[in-house]
Coordinates of all heavy atoms in Angstrom, one line a residue:
M502 N -54.6 -10.1 16.5 CA -53.4 -9.5 16.8 C -53.0 -8.8 15.5 O -53.0 -9.5 14.3 CB -52.3 -10.5 17.1 CG -51.0 -9.9 17.4 SD -50.0 -11.2 17.9 CE -49.3 -10.6 19.5
A503 N -52.5 -7.5 15.5 CA -52.0 -6.8 14.3 C -50.7 -7.2 13.8 O -49.8 -7.5 14.8 CB -52.2 -5.3 14.6
T504 N -50.5 -7.2 12.7 CA -49.1 -7.4 12.1 C -48.3 -6.2 12.2 O -48.8 -5.1 12.0 CB -49.2 -7.9 10.6 OG1 -49.8 -6.9 9.8 CG2 -49.9 -9.2 10.4
P505 N -47.0 -6.4 12.6 CA -46.2 -5.3 12.8 C -45.9 -4.6 11.4 O -45.8 -5.3 10.4 CB -44.9 -5.8 13.4 CG -44.9 -7.3 13.1 CD -46.4 -7.7 12.9
Q506 N -45.8 -3.4 11.5 CA -45.4 -2.6 10.2 C -43.9 -2.4 10.2 O -43.3 -2.0 11.1 CB -46.1 -1.1 10.2 CG -47.6 -1.4 10.3 CD -48.2 -1.9 8.9 OE1 -47.7 -1.6 7.9 NE2 -49.2 -2.8 9.1
V507 N -43.4 -2.6 9.0 CA -41.9 -2.6 8.8 C -41.8 -1.3 8.0 O -42.4 -1.1 6.9 CB -41.4 -3.8 8.1 CG1 -39.9 -3.5 7.7 CG2 -41.7 -5.0 8.8
Q508 N -40.9 -0.4 8.5 CA -40.6 0.9 7.8 C -39.4 0.6 6.9 O -38.3 0.0 7.4 CB -40.2 1.9 8.8 CG -41.3 2.3 9.8 CD -42.4 3.1 8.9 OE1 -42.1 3.8 8.0 NE2 -43.7 3.1 9.5
P509 N -39.4 1.1 5.7 CA -38.2 0.8 4.8 C -37.1 1.6 5.3 O -37.3 2.8 5.8 CB -38.7 1.4 3.5 CG -39.9 2.2 3.7 CD -40.5 1.7 5.0
V510 N -35.9 1.1 5.3 CA -34.7 1.8 5.8 C -34.1 2.5 4.5 O -33.9 2.0 3.5 CB -33.6 0.8 6.3 CG1 -32.4 1.4 6.7 CG2 -34.3 0.1 7.5
E511 N -33.8 3.8 4.6 CA -33.2 4.6 3.6 C -31.7 4.4 3.6 O -31.1 4.2 4.6 CB -33.4 6.1 3.9 CG -34.9 6.5 3.6 CD -35.1 8.0 3.7 OE1 -34.1 8.7 3.3 OE2 -36.2 8.4 4.0
R512 N -31.2 4.0 2.6 CA -29.8 3.7 2.3 C -29.1 5.1 1.9 O -29.6 5.6 0.9 CB -29.5 2.6 1.3 CG -30.0 1.3 1.9 CD -29.8 0.2 1.0 NE -28.4 0.3 0.4 CZ -27.8 -0.6 -0.3 NH1 -28.6 -1.8 -0.6 NH2 -26.6 -0.5 -0.8
Q513 N -28.0 5.3 2.6 CA -27.3 6.5 2.1 C -26.2 6.0 1.1 O -25.5 5.0 1.4 CB -26.6 7.0 3.3 CG -27.6 7.7 4.3 CD -26.7 8.3 5.4 OE1 -25.6 8.0 5.8 NE2 -27.4 9.3 6.2
E514 N -26.1 6.7 0.0 CA -25.1 6.4 -0.9 C -23.7 7.0 -0.4 O -23.6 8.1 -0.1 CB -25.4 7.0 -2.2 CG -26.7 6.6 -2.9 CD -26.6 5.0 -3.2 OE1 -25.5 4.6 -3.7 OE2 -27.6 4.3 -3.1
T515 N -22.8 6.0 -0.5 CA -21.4 6.6 -0.2 C -20.5 6.2 -1.3 O -20.7 5.3 -2.1 CB -20.9 5.9 1.2 OG1 -20.9 4.5 0.9 CG2 -21.8 6.2 2.3
D516 N -19.3 7.0 -1.3 CA -18.3 6.7 -2.3 C -17.3 5.6 -1.9 O -16.6 5.0 -2.6 CB -17.6 7.9 -2.6 CG -18.4 9.0 -3.3 OD1 -19.4 8.6 -3.9 OD2 -18.0 10.2 -3.2
E517 N -17.4 5.1 -0.6 CA -16.5 4.3 -0.1 C -17.0 2.8 -0.4 O -18.2 2.5 -0.3 CB -16.3 4.4 1.5 CG -15.6 5.7 1.8 CD -15.3 5.8 3.3 OE1 -15.1 4.7 3.8 OE2 -15.2 6.9 3.8
A518 N -16.0 1.9 -0.7 CA -16.3 0.5 -0.8 C -16.5 -0.1 0.5 O -15.8 0.4 1.5 CB -15.2 -0.1 -1.6
P519 N -17.2 -1.2 0.6 CA -17.3 -1.9 1.9 C -15.9 -2.3 2.4 O -15.0 -2.6 1.5 CB -18.1 -3.1 1.5 CG -18.7 -2.9 0.2 CD -17.9 -1.8 -0.4
E520 N -15.6 -2.5 3.6 CA -14.4 -2.9 4.1 C -13.8 -4.1 3.6 O -12.7 -4.2 3.2 CB -14.5 -3.1 5.7 CG -13.3 -3.3 6.5 CD -12.4 -2.1 6.7 OE1 -12.9 -1.0 6.5 OE2 -11.2 -2.3 6.9
S521 N -14.6 -5.2 3.3 CA -14.1 -6.4 2.7 C -13.7 -6.3 1.2 O -13.0 -7.1 0.8 CB -15.2 -7.5 2.9 OG -16.4 -7.1 2.2
A522 N -14.3 -5.2 0.6 CA -13.9 -5.0 -0.9 C -12.6 -4.2 -1.1 O -12.1 -4.1 -2.2 CB -15.0 -4.5 -1.6
R523 N -12.2 -3.5 0.0 CA -11.0 -2.7 -0.2 C -9.7 -3.4 -0.2 O -9.5 -4.4 0.7 CB -10.9 -1.6 0.9 CG -12.0 -0.7 0.9 CD -12.1 0.3 2.0 NE -10.9 0.6 2.7 CZ -10.9 0.9 4.0 NH1 -12.0 1.0 4.7 NH2 -9.7 1.0 4.7
P524 N -8.9 -3.1 -1.2 CA -7.6 -4.0 -1.3 C -6.7 -3.6 -0.2 O -6.7 -2.5 0.4 CB -7.1 -3.6 -2.7 CG -7.6 -2.3 -2.9 CD -9.0 -2.2 -2.2
W525 N -5.6 -4.5 0.0 CA -4.6 -4.2 1.0 C -3.5 -3.6 0.2 O -3.3 -3.8 -1.1 CB -4.1 -5.5 1.6 CG -5.1 -6.1 2.6 CD1 -6.2 -6.7 2.2 CD2 -5.1 -5.9 4.0 NE1 -6.9 -7.1 3.5 CE2 -6.2 -6.6 4.5 CE3 -4.2 -5.1 4.9 CZ2 -6.6 -6.5 5.9 CZ3 -4.6 -5.3 6.2 CH2 -5.6 -6.0 6.7
V526 N -2.7 -2.9 0.8 CA -1.4 -2.2 0.3 C -0.2 -2.5 1.1 O -0.3 -2.7 2.2 CB -1.6 -0.7 0.1 CG1 -2.7 -0.4 -1.0 CG2 -2.0 0.0 1.4
T527 N 0.9 -2.4 0.3 CA 2.3 -2.5 1.0 C 2.8 -1.0 0.9 O 2.9 -0.5 -0.2 CB 3.2 -3.4 0.3 OG1 2.6 -4.8 0.2 CG2 4.6 -3.5 1.0
I528 N 3.2 -0.5 2.1 CA 3.7 0.9 2.2 C 5.1 0.8 2.6 O 5.5 0.2 3.5 CB 2.8 1.6 3.2 CG1 1.3 1.6 2.9 CG2 3.4 3.0 3.3 CD1 0.5 2.0 4.0
A529 N 5.9 1.5 1.7 CA 7.3 1.8 2.0 C 7.4 3.0 2.8 O 6.9 3.9 2.3 CB 8.2 1.6 0.8
H530 N 8.3 3.1 3.8 CA 8.4 4.3 4.6 C 9.8 4.8 4.4 O 10.8 4.0 4.4 CB 8.0 4.0 6.1 CG 6.8 3.5 6.4 ND1 5.7 4.3 6.7 CD2 6.2 2.2 6.3 CE1 4.6 3.6 6.9 NE2 4.9 2.4 6.6
N531 N 9.9 6.1 4.6 CA 11.3 6.8 4.4 C 12.0 6.5 5.7 O 11.5 6.3 6.8 CB 11.0 8.3 4.3 CG 12.3 9.0 3.9 OD1 13.1 8.4 3.1 ND2 12.5 10.1 4.6
D532 N 13.3 6.4 5.4 CA 14.2 6.1 6.6 C 15.5 7.0 6.3 O 15.9 7.2 5.1 CB 14.5 4.7 6.9 CG 15.3 3.9 5.7 OD1 16.3 4.4 5.4 OD2 14.7 3.1 5.2
P533 N 16.3 7.3 7.4 CA 17.4 8.1 7.1 C 18.8 7.2 6.9 O 19.8 7.7 6.7 CB 17.7 8.7 8.5 CG 17.1 7.8 9.4 CD 15.9 7.1 8.8
I534 N 18.6 5.9 6.7 CA 19.7 5.1 6.5 C 20.0 4.7 5.0 O 21.2 4.8 4.7 CB 19.4 3.6 7.3 CG1 19.1 3.9 8.7 CG2 20.6 2.8 7.1 CD1 20.1 4.6 9.6
N535 N 19.1 4.3 4.4 CA 19.3 3.8 2.9 C 19.4 4.9 2.0 O 18.6 6.0 1.9 CB 18.1 2.8 2.6 CG 18.1 1.6 3.4 OD1 19.1 0.9 3.3 ND2 17.1 1.4 4.2
L536 N 20.3 4.8 1.0 CA 20.5 5.7 0.0 C 19.3 5.7 -1.0 O 18.7 4.7 -1.2 CB 21.8 5.4 -0.8 CG 23.1 5.5 -0.1 CD1 24.2 5.1 -0.9 CD2 23.3 6.9 0.4
M537 N 19.0 6.9 -1.6 CA 17.9 7.0 -2.6 C 18.1 6.0 -3.8 O 17.3 5.4 -4.3 CB 17.8 8.4 -3.1 CG 17.3 9.4 -2.0 SD 17.3 11.0 -2.7 CE 16.8 11.9 -1.1
T538 N 19.4 5.9 -4.2 CA 19.7 5.1 -5.4 C 19.5 3.6 -5.0 O 19.0 2.8 -5.8 CB 21.1 5.3 -5.8 OG1 22.0 5.0 -4.7 CG2 21.4 6.6 -6.5
Y539 N 19.6 3.3 -3.7 CA 19.4 1.8 -3.3 C 17.9 1.6 -3.4 O 17.5 0.5 -3.8 CB 20.0 1.7 -1.9 CG 19.8 0.4 -1.3 CD1 20.3 -0.8 -1.8 CD2 18.9 0.1 -0.3 CE1 20.3 -2.0 -1.3 CE2 18.6 -1.1 0.3 CZ 19.4 -2.2 -0.2 OH 19.1 -3.5 0.3
V540 N 17.1 2.5 -2.8 CA 15.6 2.3 -2.9 C 15.2 2.2 -4.3 O 14.3 1.2 -4.5 CB 14.9 3.5 -2.2 CG1 13.4 3.4 -2.3 CG2 15.4 3.6 -0.7
V541 N 15.7 3.0 -5.2 CA 15.3 2.9 -6.6 C 15.6 1.5 -7.1 O 14.8 0.8 -7.8 CB 16.0 3.9 -7.6 CG1 15.8 3.8 -9.0 CG2 15.4 5.3 -7.2
F542 N 16.8 1.0 -6.9 CA 17.2 -0.3 -7.3 C 16.3 -1.4 -6.7 O 15.9 -2.4 -7.5 CB 18.6 -0.6 -6.7 CG 19.1 -2.0 -6.7 CD1 19.5 -2.6 -7.9 CD2 19.0 -2.8 -5.6 CE1 19.8 -4.0 -8.0 CE2 19.5 -4.1 -5.7 CZ 19.8 -4.7 -6.8
V543 N 15.9 -1.3 -5.5 CA 15.1 -2.4 -4.8 C 13.7 -2.4 -5.5 O 13.1 -3.4 -5.8 CB 14.9 -2.1 -3.3 CG1 13.8 -3.0 -2.7 CG2 16.2 -2.4 -2.6
F544 N 13.2 -1.1 -5.8 CA 11.8 -1.0 -6.4 C 11.9 -1.7 -7.8 O 10.9 -2.3 -8.2 CB 11.2 0.4 -6.5 CG 11.0 1.0 -5.1 CD1 10.6 2.3 -5.0 CD2 10.7 0.1 -4.0 CE1 10.1 2.9 -3.9 CE2 10.3 0.7 -2.8 CZ 10.1 2.1 -2.7
Q545 N 13.0 -1.5 -8.4 CA 13.1 -2.0 -9.8 C 13.2 -3.6 -9.8 O 12.5 -4.2 -10.5 CB 14.3 -1.4 -10.6 CG 14.1 0.0 -11.0 CD 15.4 0.5 -11.7 OE1 16.4 0.8 -11.1 NE2 15.3 0.5 -13.1
K546 N 14.1 -4.0 -9.0 CA 14.5 -5.4 -8.9 C 13.3 -6.2 -8.3 O 13.0 -7.3 -8.9 CB 15.7 -5.7 -8.0 CG 16.1 -7.1 -7.9 CD 17.4 -7.2 -7.2 CE 17.8 -8.6 -6.9 NZ 18.0 -9.6 -7.9
E547 N 12.7 -5.9 -7.3 CA 11.7 -6.7 -6.7 C 10.3 -6.5 -7.3 O 9.5 -7.5 -7.2 CB 11.7 -6.3 -5.2 CG 12.9 -6.9 -4.4 CD 13.0 -8.4 -4.5 OE1 11.9 -9.2 -4.3 OE2 14.1 -8.8 -4.8
F548 N 10.0 -5.3 -7.8 CA 8.6 -5.1 -8.3 C 8.5 -4.9 -9.7 O 7.3 -4.5 -10.2 CB 7.9 -4.0 -7.4 CG 8.0 -4.3 -6.0 CD1 8.8 -3.6 -5.1 CD2 7.2 -5.4 -5.3 CE1 8.9 -3.9 -3.7 CE2 7.3 -5.6 -4.0 CZ 8.1 -4.9 -3.2
G549 N 9.6 -4.8 -10.4 CA 9.6 -4.6 -11.9 C 9.2 -3.2 -12.4 O 8.9 -3.1 -13.5
Y550 N 9.4 -2.2 -11.5 CA 9.2 -0.8 -11.9 C 10.3 -0.3 -12.9 O 11.4 -0.8 -12.7 CB 9.1 0.1 -10.8 CG 7.7 -0.1 -9.9 CD1 7.8 -0.6 -8.7 CD2 6.6 0.1 -10.4 CE1 6.8 -0.8 -7.9 CE2 5.4 0.0 -9.7 CZ 5.5 -0.5 -8.3 OH 4.4 -0.7 -7.7
S551 N 9.9 0.5 -13.8 CA 10.9 1.2 -14.7 C 11.8 2.1 -13.7 O 11.3 2.5 -12.7 CB 10.4 1.9 -15.8 OG 9.6 3.1 -15.3
R552 N 12.8 2.5 -14.2 CA 13.8 3.4 -13.5 C 13.0 4.7 -13.2 O 13.0 5.1 -12.1 CB 15.1 3.8 -14.3 CG 16.0 4.7 -13.5 CD 17.3 4.9 -14.3 NE 18.0 5.9 -13.6 CZ 19.1 5.5 -12.7 NH1 19.1 4.2 -12.3 NH2 19.7 6.3 -12.1
D553 N 12.3 5.2 -14.2 CA 11.5 6.5 -14.0 C 10.4 6.3 -12.9 O 10.3 7.1 -12.0 CB 10.9 7.0 -15.3 CG 11.9 7.5 -16.2 OD1 13.0 7.8 -15.8 OD2 11.6 7.5 -17.5
E554 N 9.7 5.2 -13.0 CA 8.7 4.9 -11.9 C 9.2 4.8 -10.6 O 8.6 5.3 -9.6 CB 7.9 3.6 -12.3 CG 7.0 3.7 -13.6 CD 6.5 2.3 -14.0 OE1 7.2 1.4 -13.9 OE2 5.3 2.3 -14.4
A555 N 10.3 4.0 -10.5 CA 10.9 3.8 -9.3 C 11.5 5.2 -8.7 O 11.4 5.3 -7.5 CB 12.1 2.8 -9.3
E556 N 12.0 6.1 -9.5 CA 12.5 7.3 -9.0 C 11.3 8.1 -8.4 O 11.5 8.9 -7.4 CB 13.3 8.0 -10.1 CG 14.7 7.4 -10.3 CD 15.4 8.2 -11.4 OE1 14.9 9.0 -12.1 OE2 16.7 7.8 -11.5
I557 N 10.2 8.2 -9.2 CA 9.0 8.9 -8.8 C 8.5 8.4 -7.4 O 8.3 9.2 -6.5 CB 7.9 8.9 -9.8 CG1 8.3 9.7 -11.0 CG2 6.6 9.4 -9.2 CD1 7.4 9.6 -12.2
M558 N 8.6 7.1 -7.4 CA 8.1 6.5 -6.0 C 9.1 6.8 -4.9 O 8.6 7.1 -3.7 CB 7.9 4.9 -6.2 CG 6.8 4.6 -7.1 SD 6.6 2.8 -7.4 CE 6.3 2.2 -5.8
M559 N 10.3 6.8 -5.2 CA 11.3 7.1 -4.2 C 11.1 8.5 -3.7 O 11.2 8.8 -2.5 CB 12.7 6.8 -4.8 CG 13.9 7.1 -3.8 SD 14.4 8.9 -3.8 CE 14.9 9.0 -5.5
W560 N 11.0 9.5 -4.6 CA 10.8 10.8 -4.2 C 9.6 10.9 -3.4 O 9.6 11.8 -2.4 CB 10.9 11.8 -5.4 CG 12.3 12.0 -5.9 CD1 12.9 11.6 -7.0 CD2 13.2 12.8 -5.2 NE1 14.2 12.1 -7.0 CE2 14.4 12.8 -5.9 CE3 13.2 13.5 -4.0 CZ2 15.6 13.5 -5.5 CZ3 14.3 14.2 -3.5 CH2 15.5 14.2 -4.3
D561 N 8.4 10.3 -3.8 CA 7.3 10.4 -2.9 C 7.6 9.9 -1.6 O 7.0 10.5 -0.5 CB 6.1 9.7 -3.5 CG 5.5 10.3 -4.7 OD1 5.6 11.6 -4.9 OD2 4.6 9.7 -5.4
M562 N 8.3 8.8 -1.5 CA 8.6 8.2 0.0 C 9.4 9.3 0.7 O 9.2 9.4 1.8 CB 9.4 6.9 -0.3 CG 9.6 6.2 1.0 SD 10.5 4.5 0.6 CE 12.1 5.0 0.5
H563 N 10.4 9.8 -0.1 CA 11.3 10.8 0.6 C 10.6 12.1 1.1 O 10.8 12.6 2.2 CB 12.5 11.1 -0.4 CG 13.5 12.1 0.2 ND1 14.3 11.7 1.3 CD2 13.7 13.3 0.0 CE1 15.0 12.7 1.6 NE2 14.8 13.7 0.9
T564 N 9.8 12.6 0.2 CA 9.1 13.9 0.6 C 7.8 13.7 1.4 O 7.5 14.6 2.3 CB 8.7 14.7 -0.6 OG1 7.9 13.9 -1.5 CG2 10.0 15.1 -1.5
K565 N 7.1 12.7 1.2 CA 5.8 12.5 2.0 C 6.0 11.5 3.1 O 5.0 11.4 3.9 CB 4.7 12.0 1.0 CG 4.5 13.0 -0.2 CD 3.5 12.4 -1.2 CE 3.2 13.3 -2.3 NZ 2.5 12.7 -3.4
G566 N 7.1 10.8 3.1 CA 7.2 9.9 4.3 C 6.9 8.6 4.0 O 7.4 7.6 4.8
R567 N 6.1 8.3 3.0 CA 5.8 6.9 2.7 C 5.2 6.9 1.2 O 4.8 7.9 0.7 CB 4.7 6.3 3.6 CG 3.4 7.1 3.7 CD 2.6 6.6 4.7 NE 1.2 7.0 4.4 CZ 0.2 6.4 4.9 NH1 0.2 5.4 5.7 NH2 -1.0 6.8 4.7
V568 N 5.1 5.6 0.7 CA 4.6 5.4 -0.7 C 4.0 4.1 -0.8 O 4.5 3.1 -0.1 CB 5.7 5.7 -1.8 CG1 6.7 4.6 -1.7 CG2 5.1 5.8 -3.1
V569 N 2.9 4.0 -1.4 CA 2.2 2.6 -1.7 C 3.0 1.9 -2.8 O 3.2 2.5 -3.9 CB 0.8 2.8 -2.0 CG1 0.2 1.4 -2.5 CG2 0.0 3.4 -0.9
V570 N 3.6 0.8 -2.5 CA 4.4 0.0 -3.5 C 3.6 -1.0 -4.3 O 3.8 -1.1 -5.5 CB 5.6 -0.6 -2.7 CG1 6.5 -1.5 -3.7 CG2 6.4 0.4 -2.0
T571 N 2.8 -1.7 -3.5 CA 1.9 -2.6 -4.2 C 0.5 -2.7 -3.6 O 0.3 -2.3 -2.5 CB 2.5 -4.2 -4.2 OG1 2.8 -4.5 -2.9 CG2 3.8 -4.2 -5.0
S572 N -0.5 -3.3 -4.3 CA -1.8 -3.5 -3.7 C -2.4 -4.8 -4.2 O -2.1 -5.3 -5.2 CB -2.7 -2.3 -4.1 OG -3.0 -2.3 -5.5
G573 N -3.3 -5.5 -3.3 CA -3.8 -6.6 -3.7 C -4.3 -7.4 -2.4 O -4.5 -6.8 -1.4
A574 N -4.2 -8.7 -2.5 CA -4.6 -9.6 -1.4 C -3.7 -9.5 -0.2 O -2.5 -9.1 -0.4 CB -4.6 -11.1 -1.9
R575 N -4.2 -9.6 0.9 CA -3.5 -9.4 2.1 C -2.1 -10.2 2.2 O -1.1 -9.7 2.6 CB -4.3 -9.6 3.4 CG -3.6 -9.4 4.7 CD -4.4 -9.7 5.9 NE -3.7 -9.5 7.1 CZ -4.3 -9.6 8.3 NH1 -5.5 -9.9 8.4 NH2 -3.5 -9.3 9.4
E576 N -2.3 -11.5 1.9 CA -1.2 -12.5 2.0 C -0.1 -12.0 1.1 O 1.1 -12.0 1.5 CB -1.6 -13.9 1.6 CG -2.6 -14.5 2.8 CD -4.1 -14.0 2.5 OE1 -4.3 -13.5 1.5 OE2 -4.8 -14.2 3.5
R577 N -0.4 -11.5 -0.1 CA 0.6 -11.1 -1.0 C 1.3 -9.8 -0.5 O 2.5 -9.6 -0.7 CB 0.0 -10.8 -2.4 CG 0.8 -10.3 -3.5 CD 2.0 -11.4 -3.7 NE 3.1 -10.6 -4.5 CZ 3.9 -11.4 -5.2 NH1 3.8 -12.7 -5.5 NH2 4.8 -10.8 -6.0
M578 N 0.5 -8.9 0.1 CA 1.1 -7.7 0.6 C 2.1 -7.9 1.7 O 3.0 -7.3 1.8 CB 0.0 -6.7 0.9 CG -0.9 -6.3 -0.1 SD -0.1 -5.7 -1.6 CE 0.1 -7.1 -2.7
E579 N 1.6 -8.8 2.6 CA 2.6 -9.3 3.7 C 3.9 -9.9 3.2 O 5.0 -9.6 3.6 CB 1.9 -10.3 4.6 CG 0.8 -9.7 5.3 CD -0.1 -10.7 6.2 OE1 0.2 -11.9 6.0 OE2 -0.8 -10.2 7.1
Y580 N 3.7 -10.6 2.0 CA 4.9 -11.2 1.4 C 5.7 -10.1 0.8 O 7.1 -10.0 1.0 CB 4.6 -12.2 0.3 CG 5.7 -12.6 -0.6 CD1 6.7 -13.5 -0.1 CD2 5.8 -12.2 -1.9 CE1 7.8 -13.9 -0.8 CE2 6.8 -12.7 -2.7 CZ 7.7 -13.5 -2.2 OH 8.9 -14.0 -3.0
D581 N 5.1 -9.1 0.1 CA 5.9 -8.0 -0.5 C 6.5 -7.1 0.6 O 7.8 -6.7 0.5 CB 5.0 -7.1 -1.3 CG 4.5 -7.7 -2.6 OD1 5.1 -8.7 -2.9 OD2 3.6 -7.1 -3.2
A582 N 5.9 -6.9 1.8 CA 6.5 -6.2 2.9 C 7.8 -7.0 3.4 O 8.8 -6.3 3.7 CB 5.6 -6.0 4.0
S583 N 7.7 -8.3 3.5 CA 8.8 -9.1 3.9 C 10.0 -9.0 2.9 O 11.2 -9.1 3.3 CB 8.4 -10.5 4.3 OG 8.2 -11.2 2.9
R584 N 9.7 -8.9 1.7 CA 10.7 -8.7 0.7 C 11.4 -7.4 0.9 O 12.7 -7.3 0.8 CB 10.1 -8.8 -0.7 CG 9.6 -10.1 -1.1 CD 8.7 -10.1 -2.3 NE 9.3 -9.6 -3.6 CZ 8.6 -9.4 -4.6 NH1 7.3 -9.5 -4.6 NH2 9.2 -8.9 -5.7
L585 N 10.7 -6.3 1.2 CA 11.4 -5.0 1.5 C 12.2 -5.1 2.7 O 13.3 -4.5 2.8 CB 10.3 -4.0 1.6 CG 9.7 -3.5 0.3 CD1 8.4 -2.7 0.5 CD2 10.6 -2.9 -0.7
H586 N 11.7 -5.8 3.7 CA 12.4 -6.0 5.1 C 13.7 -6.7 4.7 O 14.7 -6.3 5.4 CB 11.7 -6.8 6.0 CG 10.4 -6.0 6.5 ND1 9.3 -6.7 7.2 CD2 10.0 -4.8 6.4 CE1 8.4 -5.8 7.4 NE2 8.7 -4.7 7.0
N587 N 13.7 -7.7 3.8 CA 15.0 -8.3 3.5 C 16.0 -7.4 3.0 O 17.3 -7.7 3.1 CB 14.7 -9.5 2.5 CG 14.0 -10.7 3.1 OD1 14.0 -10.8 4.3 ND2 13.3 -11.4 2.4
Y588 N 15.6 -6.3 2.4 CA 16.5 -5.3 1.8 C 16.9 -4.2 2.9 O 17.5 -3.3 2.5 CB 16.1 -4.7 0.5 CG 16.1 -5.6 -0.7 CD1 15.1 -6.4 -1.0 CD2 17.3 -5.5 -1.4 CE1 15.2 -7.2 -2.2 CE2 17.5 -6.4 -2.5 CZ 16.4 -7.1 -2.9 OH 16.5 -8.0 -4.0
G589 N 16.3 -4.4 4.1 CA 16.6 -3.3 5.1 C 15.6 -2.2 5.0 O 16.0 -1.1 5.7
L590 N 14.6 -2.3 4.3 CA 13.7 -1.1 4.1 C 12.5 -1.3 5.1 O 12.1 -2.4 5.4 CB 13.1 -0.9 2.7 CG 14.1 -0.7 1.7 CD1 13.5 -0.7 0.3 CD2 14.9 0.5 1.9
W591 N 12.0 -0.2 5.6 CA 10.8 -0.3 6.5 C 9.6 -0.3 5.7 O 9.3 0.5 4.9 CB 10.9 0.9 7.5 CG 9.8 1.0 8.5 CD1 9.1 0.0 8.9 CD2 9.3 2.2 9.0 NE1 8.1 0.5 9.9 CE2 8.2 1.8 9.9 CE3 9.5 3.4 8.9 CZ2 7.5 2.7 10.6 CZ3 8.8 4.5 9.5 CH2 7.7 4.0 10.5
A592 N 8.7 -1.3 5.9 CA 7.5 -1.4 5.2 C 6.4 -2.0 6.1 O 6.6 -2.7 7.0 CB 7.7 -2.4 4.0
T593 N 5.2 -1.6 5.9 CA 4.0 -2.0 6.5 C 2.9 -2.4 5.6 O 2.9 -2.0 4.4 CB 3.4 -0.9 7.5 OG1 3.1 0.3 6.8 CG2 4.4 -0.6 8.6
V594 N 1.8 -3.2 6.0 CA 0.6 -3.5 5.3 C -0.5 -2.9 6.0 O -0.6 -2.9 7.1 CB 0.6 -5.1 5.3 CG1 -0.7 -5.5 4.6 CG2 1.8 -5.7 4.6
A595 N -1.4 -2.3 5.1 CA -2.6 -1.7 5.6 C -3.8 -1.9 4.6 O -3.6 -2.2 3.4 CB -2.4 -0.2 5.9
R596 N -5.0 -1.6 5.0 CA -6.1 -1.5 4.1 C -6.0 -0.1 3.3 O -5.5 0.9 3.8 CB -7.5 -1.5 4.8 CG -7.8 -2.8 5.3 CD -8.6 -3.5 4.4 NE -9.2 -4.6 5.0 CZ -10.0 -5.6 4.4 NH1 -10.3 -5.3 3.1 NH2 -10.4 -6.6 5.0
Q597 N -6.3 -0.2 2.0 CA -6.2 1.1 1.2 C -7.3 2.0 1.6 O -8.4 1.8 1.9 CB -6.3 0.7 -0.3 CG -5.9 1.9 -1.2 CD -5.9 1.5 -2.7 OE1 -6.5 0.6 -3.0 NE2 -5.1 2.2 -3.4

């Protein structure tokens, strides 16, 4: 009986990291209810951003509809989203 021949599999190089290696992110979404100054305050108080950083993030959220606030382990991102919910802000968690 002949031994089966195994063909080497060519691997394609991709720029994307494997699904399990990609970090999770907390995304804050724009809403028509909260004032821009309030959003800046929350970003500063809860995540330690400087006023300038928080204002840039707020403008991104306002003009683009959403902004990534934090990234890391899934459990931490869910916690960060719940912190934003406590302030009345709309937030979700997703893979980056």
Side-chain angles (χ1 to χ4, degrees):
M502 182 181 235
T504 58
Q506 296 295 317
V507 177
Q508 297 289 335
V510 176
E511 289 186 32
R512 292 180 45 168
Q513 294 180 337
E514 296 294 324
T515 62
D516 292 337
E517 292 186 30
E520 184 75 17
S521 61
R523 292 179 19 216
W525 289 81
V526 292
T527 302
I528 302 168
H530 298 269
N531 190 39
D532 65 64
I534 306 299
N535 295 295
L536 296 174
M537 293 178 184
T538 54
Y539 178 71
V540 173
V541 170
F542 164 77
V543 172
F544 289 169
Q545 287 181 279
K546 180 172 171 66
E547 288 301 310
F548 303 109
Y550 289 112
S551 69
R552 181 179 179 89
D553 290 340
E554 291 171 321
E556 285 179 353
I557 290 168
M558 292 174 65
M559 177 275 301
W560 277 111
D561 280 348
M562 185 176 86
H563 180 69
T564 59
K565 297 175 184 172
R567 63 187 197 154
V568 68
V569 172
V570 180
T571 56
S572 67
R575 180 179 181 178
E576 293 79 17
R577 178 62 192 206
M578 297 308 95
E579 290 173 350
Y580 173 69
D581 288 350
S583 71
R584 292 164 62 191
L585 290 170
H586 294 163
N587 289 337
Y588 283 94
L590 299 177
W591 179 30
T593 58
V594 174
R596 287 267 188 183
Q597 187 173 34

